[in-house]
Amino acid sequence: MKVINSDEKVKITLKINGEKYETEVEPRRLLVHVLRELGFTGVHIGCDTSNCGACTIIMNGKSVKSCTVLAVEADGAEILTVEGLAKDGKLHPIQEAFWENHALQCGYCTPGMIMEAYWLLKEKPNPTEEEIREGISGNLCRCTGYQNIVKAIKAAAEKLSQTPYPHQ
């Protein structure tokens, strides 16, 4: 086993929204910071303690708070960020539902909330209100009171059931 000096940079490869990225990172660098440095600013930094969910991404098919992952741990991972949901200039049905149902105010939590909703709807295509509330319980919103977020996720589930959107 090779011991890495904490100042020594390590080369990592990430597949983000379908594109391959190679970069060098310090072993102590969090994935959330690396994603933002690569231009994925929809991945928000809210707390650095995994409490808020603003940094939620999909990594290797699972919902992950990117502030809890070292970038070196993500080497070789497939990552989906909110920037990767829209296709050909058309919003993903979840993004449309958030827009149509006024599921945002300041918008800070919105990318993380949308990514959590994406993962939830992949796991449970027709969730109950209780399952939605439980599914987003790790994502904080200080503005909306959650009602419109729940409504938007329910609407997105309906949209996706009528016209399936090609999930990555």
Side-chain angles (χ1 to χ4, degrees):
M1 173 166 77
K2 180 181 177 192
V3 177
I4 299 172
N5 178 332
S6 65
D7 294 329
E8 186 181 325
K9 291 201 174 186
V10 176
K11 184 177 180 180
I12 64 169
T13 302
L14 305 169
K15 188 174 183 182
I16 307 168
N17 302 331
E19 285 191 46
K20 184 177 173 183
Y21 290 81
E22 289 184 355
T23 188
E24 290 188 359
V25 298
E26 293 175 9
R28 64 179 178 222
R29 199 82 172 125
L30 293 173
L31 180 58
V32 66
H33 297 291
V34 172
L35 290 171
R36 290 184 59 80
E37 288 164 3
L38 289 172
F40 300 98
T41 56
V43 181
H44 290 171
I45 300 169
C47 66
D48 275 340
T49 60
S50 79
N51 289 319
C52 75
C55 66
T56 302
I57 59 169
I58 306 302
M59 186 168 89
N60 296 330
K62 301 226 183 278
S63 170
V64 173
K65 292 178 181 175
S66 59
C67 74
T68 65
V69 178
L70 293 171
V72 293
E73 293 176 307
D75 186 24
E78 287 198 31
I79 295 170
L80 178 65
T81 70
V82 73
E83 290 92 347
L85 291 181
K87 293 291 178 212
D88 302 320
K90 182 170 172 29
L91 293 177
H92 186 282
I94 298 171
Q95 293 170 308
E96 286 177 348
F98 268 66
W99 175 265
E100 292 164 356
N101 289 278
H102 310 287
L104 57 116
Q105 254 176 334
C106 80
Y108 201 80
C109 73
T110 304
M113 201 67 81
I114 286 173
M115 296 311 294
E116 191 63 36
Y118 176 91
W119 183 80
L120 172 66
L121 294 176
K122 273 186 77 171
E123 296 296 305
K124 295 182 185 218
N126 189 27
T128 65
E129 181 174 332
E130 184 179 322
E131 289 171 328
I132 292 170
R133 288 184 182 279
E134 184 179 323
I136 63 170
S137 65
N139 292 65
L140 298 179
C141 175
R142 301 184 195 285
C143 301
T144 68
Y146 298 95
Q147 190 55 40
N148 286 349
I149 293 170
V150 172
K151 196 168 118 182
I153 295 170
K154 199 71 173 146
E158 181 66 26
K159 280 178 182 260
L160 289 167
S161 74
Q162 291 173 4
T163 54
Y165 192 85
H167 292 283
Q168 284 78 353

